[in-house]
Every structure is written in structure tokens, then in C-alpha cells.
Amino acid sequence: MSFTELDTVYMARAIELAKHGRFTTTPNPNVGCVLVKDDEIVGEGFHQIAGQGHAEVNALAVAGDKAKGATAYVTLEPCSHYGRTPPCAEGLKAAGVSKVIAAMVDPNPAVSGRGLQILADAGISVASGLLEQQARDLNKGFLKRMETGLPYVTCKMACSLDGKTALNNGQSKWITGPQARQDVQAFRAQSCAILTGADTVITDNAKLNVRIDELPFTMPTSLPLRQPTRIIIDSQNRLTPELALFSIESPVIIFTTSLDNHTKWPHFVKHEVVPAVNNKVDLSAVLKRLAELQFNHIWLEAGATLAGVFAEQDLIDEYIVYIAPKLIGDMGKSLLNFAEVTMMSDITELTFTDTVMIGDDIRLTATKAKQATKIENKE
């Protein structure tokens, strides 16, 4: 089916609406919906919080009787199953819409074409594929979990112009400027979880929470800020409840190779035991378990050793690197530590997908070459 210029305009509006839920919808995807009748938007909405009305429900509530005969533009195929809310495909059918255009088919096995089929069987015109790549970009974590059984992992790093993360004595505050640090808070807030290792927690006494006062925007008052779950890799059970991490009452999951049954932990701390590889936590098993727990997007903010193991095992989907206009020198600490590569044919190839100035620093985004689709310069 061919799409008109107006179809593209309305779908682009639906995509913008979907972005409003990026801090609150997990484990559900971000979805927007626009209802159009006689070239006029009669209703629009987005999915706000998991367990509450989906985008289509919210748009239909705004449109009321005007939904009859309207065209629905939705960024993801309307759901077809009963979960915490009724199927949106049935809601659109009951409202009497005449056409539904979805940006993409839902890869969730519980939907996967069934929503569009319900509508088509009811005599409603259906189509999909309009602005599909933009719709996929909305939900990289959800889509990867549905398609592969693993979450999407973004590795954040910060370094000087000569690629160093800290002085040789460990001092690193601050390599980047305040705007870059605020930018990191925004990315943290959008993630399902922040993952790091016991070394980082112990050395930095890190809290790993979203610092609301540092966000470079104001959260909508109607949507509560969701603190990401803090995931800690602690193979040797070195963490103790006295650390600053546990002074904040928000979920923590500690992955280890064996349980320590003698320490009394706060009620919001859970332990997960996974297999060991060379006496260390099996990171592949960690990611698989996180997907089972419905984590879509993991923000990896770790030291050079743990980040290096993730990189070496090809477990990172995306790198976000903040580069400061500073020079540290040869004795500084490197971004990643992993085994030496001796053949150019064995190196990991990435593609830059975004570059933008954040204050005095540069933020570079790179993905695996096979995943990258374009280079976008926003300077």
C-alpha cells in the first residue's frame, strides 16, 4: 500500500507522542496513536505507564464519537491479547474506525500480526510499514528482547581527547563538564536498569540513581519518575549493606555465583545466582535472566575491566562516549581492558550513528556495523 504525504505527517506526530512515555512505560513499549477524520486530528494519546491504558485507548477517549469512521495512526501494531488491559484491536473495532495504519508489526509473539488480522477480519482497512525505522528506534530494547530474548545494552564511557578515563591514581572528577553529566542522567532515566560491577560501587561508593535535580528538563508532573533498577555484578560477594548504594530505597539486583546467607540486606535488594565462568559471573546468563525479568534496555556504566569483558564477548549493542577537550597522557587509565587483538580482521567494527556537542564536550554514539543505518550529525 502506498502512503500519502499526510499519512507521513500524522504518523510522525504519533511517533513524537510515543516519546513522551520513554521514562515510564517499561517493560511495555513506547507507543503513540493519532486519530484523524476529514483531515482533522480528533484524538491522540500515548502509552504512559505499564498497566494503564495503551495509546489507542487514550486517543479513543479523547475522540469519543468522532472516532467512528476515523483513520488510526499507531506506531506499533494494536495488541490482540488480554493482559493487564483489554486488546486495543478490539477497542478500535468497537469504536468503528475505518482504517488503521501501523508503523510496524509487533514482534511480541502474543501479537505478531494478530492485531491487524482482527481488524481486517472486521472489514477495517489495515496497512503497516510507514516510518518503520523511526518506530523501531523508539523501542530498541523492547524489540531486541522480543526478537532475541536479550535486552539492548548501551555502554556509556567518558574520556579525554587522548582516550583516558582517569589519572593513573584513579582521580576522574571531573573529566567531562556539567552539561555532559546532566545528559547522562537523562539516559539513565530512560533505561530499565543501570548495570555496573562491585569494583565501581566499592571504589566510588556510587549510588547509581537518577539525580532528578540534574536532569536537563522537567518531568511532566502527571508522570512519576521511575528510578531504574540497579544491577550489580558481584562474583565474590564483596558488597556490604553499609555502602551508599543501599541508602536509597529503590530496587537493586545483585548477580553472584553463590549466595551469602549471613548478611542482612534491605528489603529492596534481591540476589540472583548465575553460573560461573573462570570464577566470574557469566555475563550472558545475566543478560538472559534480565530479559526473563522483562528488562528491555540496560545502561552499562562500568569500569574498564567489566566493560571490556562485555565488549570482548560481543554483548554491547551501542556505545555512547563523551569526549572532553582535555589531555591526560600515557599514564592515564584506558576506556576498555580486554585481550589483545593481533589481526585486523578480528577487530570489532562500529559505525558512528550520532555526534553532538554537549556543552564543551562531544557525545559520540556508535553501534555494531551491522545494526547501524545512518549517520546523523546534530551539531
Side-chain angles (χ1 to χ4, degrees):
M1 177 180 179
S2 60
F3 301 108
T4 68
E5 185 175 340
L6 276 177
D7 287 334
T8 302
V9 169
Y10 294 134
M11 186 61 78
R13 172 59 182 165
I15 287 172
E16 287 304 309
L17 287 168
K19 293 177 182 178
H20 294 325
R22 64 192 185 277
F23 301 101
T24 54
T25 63
T26 185
N28 290 355
N30 303 310
V31 183
C33 179
V34 173
L35 295 170
V36 178
K37 186 174 183 179
D38 299 327
D39 295 330
E40 178 188 357
I41 294 178
V42 296
E44 60 181 27
F46 65 96
H47 184 38
Q48 299 182 13
I49 299 174
Q52 297 185 9
H54 290 185
E56 299 92 326
V57 172
N58 294 330
L60 289 170
V62 174
D65 293 339
K66 293 181 180 180
K68 187 175 179 61
T71 296
Y73 297 85
V74 60
T75 58
L76 187 67
E77 175 187 7
C79 63
S80 59
H81 61 295
Y82 284 87
R84 285 187 278 182
T85 59
C88 291
E90 295 290 352
L92 291 168
K93 183 173 74 171
V97 301
S98 62
K99 181 187 293 187
V100 174
I101 299 177
M104 63 174 293
V105 173
D106 191 340
N108 184 345
V111 185
S112 193
R114 296 181 183 88
L116 293 177
Q117 190 61 53
I118 288 172
L119 297 166
D121 290 345
I124 297 169
S125 176
V126 299
S128 64
L130 176 60
L131 299 185
E132 181 170 355
Q133 185 57 53
Q134 291 90 324
R136 291 189 67 87
D137 290 342
L138 284 170
N139 293 299
K140 292 181 289 188
F142 174 80
L143 296 177
K144 188 185 177 192
R145 179 166 67 87
M146 288 297 155
E147 293 169 349
T148 71
L150 294 171
Y152 190 92
V153 178
T154 296
C155 178
K156 170 262 176 182
M157 298 180 286
C159 65
S160 61
L161 189 60
D162 53 347
K164 305 300 181 181
T165 63
L167 302 180
N168 198 44
N169 61 13
Q171 292 184 35
S172 62
K173 294 182 179 180
W174 296 102
I175 287 180
T176 55
Q179 293 94 333
R181 299 198 294 276
Q182 291 171 359
D183 198 55
V184 169
Q185 295 302 311
F187 278 111
R188 282 185 175 186
Q190 295 177 62
S191 303
C192 300
I194 301 169
L195 190 153
T196 195
D199 277 339
T200 295
V201 174
I202 294 169
T203 302
D204 298 342
N205 206 15
K207 295 179 179 178
L208 297 174
N209 62 312
V210 175
R211 297 188 286 273
I212 299 175
D213 58 338
E214 292 184 24
L215 288 173
F217 54 82
T218 301
M219 284 288 294
T221 55
S222 59
L223 297 179
L225 177 67
R226 169 192 52 80
Q227 285 285 350
T229 299
R230 294 165 293 168
I231 310 292
I232 316 300
I233 307 298
D234 185 16
S235 300
Q236 308 303 321
N237 292 316
R238 293 184 295 145
L239 298 181
T240 62
E242 293 74 29
L243 290 162
L245 182 82
F246 306 108
S247 67
I248 297 174
E249 189 170 337
S250 69
V252 175
I253 302 177
I254 300 172
F255 280 89
T256 184
T257 57
S258 63
L259 279 179
D260 171 13
N261 295 315
H262 303 293
T263 304
K264 186 176 181 180
W265 295 95
H267 68 90
F268 53 84
V269 178
K270 296 182 179 180
H271 286 76
E272 291 277 347
V273 177
V274 294
V277 176
N278 296 324
N279 296 318
K280 299 291 185 180
V281 162
D282 183 343
L283 297 180
S284 293
V286 168
L287 294 183
K288 183 178 179 181
R289 179 57 180 154
L290 289 176
E292 292 171 351
L293 294 171
Q294 296 190 306
F295 287 91
N296 296 325
H297 197 160
I298 307 300
W299 180 256
L300 175 61
E301 197 167 323
T305 299
L306 180 59
V309 176
F310 267 91
E312 193 171 31
Q313 296 183 13
D314 196 27
L315 299 176
I316 297 173
D317 299 286
E318 177 181 63
Y319 294 82
I320 291 181
V321 186
Y322 296 86
I323 301 178
K326 300 174 182 177
L327 298 173
I328 289 180
D330 287 345
M331 296 303 292
K333 295 183 178 293
S334 299
L335 277 171
L336 297 170
N337 295 334
F338 53 82
E340 180 184 3
V341 177
T342 58
M343 299 287 291
M344 285 298 293
S345 58
D346 294 333
I347 67 173
T348 300
E349 292 193 20
L350 306 171
T351 298
F352 289 122
T353 56
D354 187 42
T355 174
V356 59
M357 291 295 298
I358 305 291
D360 293 330
D361 306 312
I362 295 176
R363 186 187 72 207
L364 297 177
T365 304
T367 63
K368 297 176 185 178
K370 61 183 179 182
Q371 293 179 330
T373 56
K374 64 179 181 177
I375 296 178
E376 181 181 358
N377 190 314
K378 297 182 179 178
E379 288 187 41

